[in-house]
Amino acid sequence: MAGKVIDGVGISNYVLQMLNCESLSRYTEKCKEIGNIDPYNIPRHAWKDITTLLGGDLPDLRHSDIYQYLINFKSAYNHKELRAYKSLEAYKYFIAGWVSELLIADIKQGNSSTLCIVTAKVRHSQSLNEEALRPWFAMEKEGPIIAAHCSCVAGLGEACSHVAATMFAVESGANWTKKESCTSQPCGWVLPSCSSFKSAPLAKIDFTSPATKYKNFDKQELHPSSCATPRTKKQLVSMEARQKFLETLKNSGIKN
């Protein structure tokens, strides 16, 4: 329920407790841009689990849309481009399993419902044991990103890695379901997840870079319940086999 009505917008208590006057004023403006709605006031039954939707029901979010928002979107504070280049690396949060509970809600505008709001739980980048943040962004189903918000310090400035990680999660899911429908195979789109952080021997840690994992996201099966997939254990070659191999090379008569 709304905690207070500001300029015709019902602002939730969650927002009122976290924002100062200047940030609250900007937040109210963003809510006006999406139909005078505070996403934190949308009831739970109006949200849908985005991972259960088919490709045609997902917003057509592309990497170019994410770049356009994070880099070229004009800040309301200084009217300059955001240029949040660091946030472009937020796909690492998604691949690491820090994004969970990805939800979407459609906002009706007239006789159509072209505007949608996406939210998720995203872990803090510096304090992994703290309660997850709940960023959101709004966009047209087949259009640009209109507004975004996160309660972290960077998010109050229009863009942050938590918002970007949510965008990359949606973009990856949209690409996945375009290739093959969710019903054509078991668990067609499973979000990478990481519910805990535990120490492990080096041999069981996957050192594959996030960039490679993200590039091959549609080619590999990301385990839904672990942070990393152990590497395949290699069988060591015995000293006798090595010596025999070297003797064979020596007796072959080939010098080059």
Side-chain angles (χ1 to χ4, degrees):
M1 295 297 291
K4 184 178 181 182
V5 177
I6 302 177
D7 292 340
V9 181
I11 304 299
S12 64
N13 284 319
Y14 175 78
V15 173
L16 293 173
Q17 295 171 0
M18 303 189 72
L19 303 185
N20 56 33
C21 294
E22 183 180 4
S23 298
L24 183 59
S25 176
R26 173 55 188 154
Y27 185 83
T28 304
E29 292 178 7
K30 287 190 284 189
C31 291
K32 288 182 178 180
E33 295 174 4
I34 58 176
N36 295 328
I37 295 175
D38 180 357
Y40 295 116
N41 273 334
I42 298 177
R44 181 61 181 86
H45 64 81
W47 295 97
K48 294 177 289 186
D49 185 346
I50 200 171
T51 60
T52 63
L53 302 180
L54 297 176
D57 297 324
L58 290 173
D60 187 16
L61 182 62
R62 305 181 182 183
H63 194 278
S64 57
D65 297 320
I66 300 175
Y67 182 92
Q68 178 69 22
Y69 178 81
L70 296 177
I71 305 302
N72 298 327
F73 192 82
K74 296 292 182 66
S75 172
Y77 297 102
N78 55 20
H79 304 289
K80 295 182 179 180
E81 296 175 345
L82 293 178
R83 297 184 180 181
Y85 291 102
K86 186 176 180 181
S87 295
L88 290 174
E89 298 184 0
Y91 67 86
K92 297 178 182 179
Y93 289 23
F94 164 62
I95 290 297
W98 292 7
V99 181
S100 62
E101 294 187 27
L102 195 59
L103 305 174
I104 184 171
D106 293 334
I107 304 300
K108 294 183 178 180
Q109 293 183 318
N111 296 327
S112 60
S113 56
T114 59
L115 187 67
C116 63
I117 298 176
V118 178
T119 185
K121 283 188 175 181
V122 184
R123 289 180 178 271
H124 290 264
S125 56
Q126 302 297 328
S127 304
L128 300 179
N129 293 325
E130 289 188 15
E131 184 179 355
L133 296 166
R134 175 66 82 172
W136 61 261
F137 72 91
M139 64 172 291
E140 297 179 4
K141 275 290 184 70
E142 298 180 356
I145 298 170
I146 300 173
H149 172 77
C150 183
S151 57
C152 68
V153 175
L156 299 179
E158 307 297 328
C160 69
S161 296
H162 308 98
V163 168
T166 306
M167 295 176 181
F168 280 115
V170 176
E171 186 262 347
S172 297
N175 288 337
W176 182 284
T177 53
K178 284 177 183 177
K179 298 177 183 295
E180 198 169 10
S181 67
C182 294
T183 56
S184 62
Q185 59 180 356
C187 298
W189 178 27
V190 178
L191 282 176
S193 63
C194 185
S195 57
S196 61
F197 296 86
K198 298 180 180 180
S199 58
L202 287 175
K204 294 185 177 181
I205 298 178
D206 183 8
F207 289 98
T208 305
S209 69
T212 301
K213 287 184 178 181
Y214 184 69
K215 185 182 297 183
N216 299 328
F217 179 69
D218 58 344
K219 300 178 182 179
Q220 64 181 349
E221 179 182 356
L222 295 174
H223 200 282
S225 60
S226 65
C227 299
T229 304
R231 292 175 178 267
T232 303
K233 186 176 181 180
K234 296 182 179 179
Q235 186 175 0
L236 298 178
V237 181
S238 64
M239 291 299 298
E240 292 79 7
R242 294 182 184 181
Q243 189 63 33
K244 184 177 180 180
F245 174 72
L246 295 175
E247 289 291 339
T248 303
L249 290 179
K250 181 179 179 180
N251 299 328
S252 65
I254 301 175
K255 296 184 179 181
N256 295 329

